[in-house]
Amino acid sequence: MGVSSLLIDFTPPLNKEILQAQDFISQQDYKTAIFKYEEILKKHPPKDIQVKINYQLGDLYSIYLSENKKAVQRYSTIMKISEDPRWLIKTQERLGEIYFSYLKVYKKSMAIYGKLSEFRPKLIEQDFYRFRYALSTFYSGNKALALRLFKEIQKSPTGEHYTRSFYYEGLIYFEQKKWQASIDTWKKYLKNEKRRDNIVQTKFLMANAYETIEKLKIAYNIYYSILGEYPNTLVIQNRLKGIYERRVARKR
C-alpha cells in the first residue's frame, strides 16, 4: 500500500477532543459540549487548559443554559487554580454579573465590584465597576455606604454614570423619608437625564414626595404631566382623584 493512500492524523489527542467539543458548540449542542469538556478535565490536562475549559464551561452554563449556579462553580474553580491577573479579572467580571443580574446575591457582587473598582492599574471599565459597587451596596441594604459611593461618583461629571447616581441618591433620601432632600436631588437628576422611562418614573416618585408633604397642587400637576406615559394609568388616575378630593375638602 502506497504512502499516498494513508490518512494520518497528526493532531494530538487532547487538541482533537477540544476541537470536538467546539464543534458541538458550533452545532448548538451545548449539553454534549459540556459533557465533552468535563471528560477532558477528568484527564487532568495542563493547568492553562483547565483554566480555559472551566471558563468555557462557565459561559456555556450561564449564557446558553441559564444554569448560573453551575456557572459560578466553574468560574470559582479558576480563582483557585490560576494566578494570571487577566483570567482572574475576566472571571471576576463574569461572577459579578451573575451575582448582580441573575442570582441577586448583592453582598457577593458588592465584594467583587469593590475589588474591581480598586484594582491598580485602573481597569478600562472602572466607572462601570464603581457604579455596580454602589448599586450592589444599595440593594444589599447598606444605604449609608451606598450614599457615600454615589456621591463619590458625582465628583466625576464626565463619568458615564454621573447622572444616574443622582437618581439613586434621591431614592435613598426617599426611603429615609427625607422628602425635600429627595425632591431637590431628583431636580438635579432630571436636568441631565434623557431616557423618557427614567424621567417618568422619577416624576412619579417626586409627585409622591410632594403629596406626602401636602404640596398637593404641585403633586397634582406632576401626576397629570405623566398621565398616559406611566405604565399603570389607573394608579395615576387614582392619585389625581385622591388629590382633587383632598383639595376640595380643604376649601370647605
Side-chain angles (χ1 to χ4, degrees), residues 73-221:
Q73 292 175 352
R74 289 303 177 181
Y75 293 134
S76 296
T77 297
I78 296 171
M79 306 292 292
K80 297 174 184 176
I81 64 175
S82 177
E83 296 179 357
D84 186 333
R86 293 169 298 177
W87 280 110
L88 295 178
I89 290 167
K90 288 174 66 173
T91 302
Q92 291 267 55
E93 288 174 335
R94 286 283 200 260
L95 286 169
E97 179 65 22
I98 290 173
Y99 282 129
F100 183 87
S101 298
Y102 301 104
L103 299 181
K104 313 294 184 185
V105 183
Y106 296 115
K107 287 187 177 179
K108 288 193 175 182
S109 64
M110 175 182 166
I112 290 169
Y113 286 121
K115 289 179 181 178
L116 287 172
S117 67
E118 294 171 1
F119 191 89
R120 294 295 181 273
K122 291 182 180 180
L123 300 172
I124 295 173
E125 296 293 327
Q126 191 198 41
D127 282 354
F128 172 75
Y129 302 142
R130 290 176 68 200
F131 188 60
R132 274 286 177 89
Y133 178 34
L135 286 178
S136 298
T137 305
F138 173 82
Y139 288 121
S140 70
N142 191 340
K143 301 301 169 64
L145 175 57
L147 185 60
R148 291 202 299 272
L149 294 172
F150 286 125
K151 285 184 175 294
E152 279 294 316
I153 291 170
Q154 291 163 16
K155 292 179 181 178
S156 302
T158 59
E160 183 180 354
H161 304 284
Y162 168 81
T163 296
R164 191 63 176 161
S165 68
F166 285 97
Y167 170 79
Y168 286 98
E169 180 188 351
L171 195 56
I172 291 171
Y173 293 139
F174 186 85
E175 292 181 359
Q176 293 173 339
K177 300 184 179 181
K178 297 178 180 178
W179 312 116
Q180 193 59 53
S182 67
I183 290 167
D184 293 341
T185 304
W186 282 329
K187 283 181 179 179
K188 296 176 187 176
Y189 169 61
L190 291 175
K191 287 180 181 178
N192 296 306
E193 181 55 77
K194 299 295 188 292
R195 278 186 51 171
R196 190 61 195 170
D197 57 337
N198 288 340
I199 292 170
V200 169
Q201 176 62 26
T202 305
K203 285 187 173 183
F204 175 79
L205 292 172
M206 282 181 71
N208 196 310
Y210 275 119
E211 185 180 356
T212 303
I213 60 178
E214 296 294 317
K215 293 187 177 182
L216 300 183
K217 184 177 180 180
I218 299 175
Y220 186 94
N221 290 339

Side-chain angles (χ1 to χ4, degrees), residues 34-50:
I34 286 172
F35 175 81
K36 192 68 183 175
Y37 276 132
E38 289 181 340
E39 287 296 303
I40 295 170
L41 286 176
K42 290 177 183 177
K43 298 177 180 179
H44 305 290
K47 191 170 289 186
D48 62 325
I49 299 296
Q50 291 183 45

Side-chain angles (χ1 to χ4, degrees), residues 65-78:
L65 299 180
S66 298
E67 295 184 32
N68 287 298
K69 290 183 178 179
K70 289 184 179 179
V72 165
Q73 292 175 352
R74 289 303 177 181
Y75 293 134
S76 296
T77 297
I78 296 171

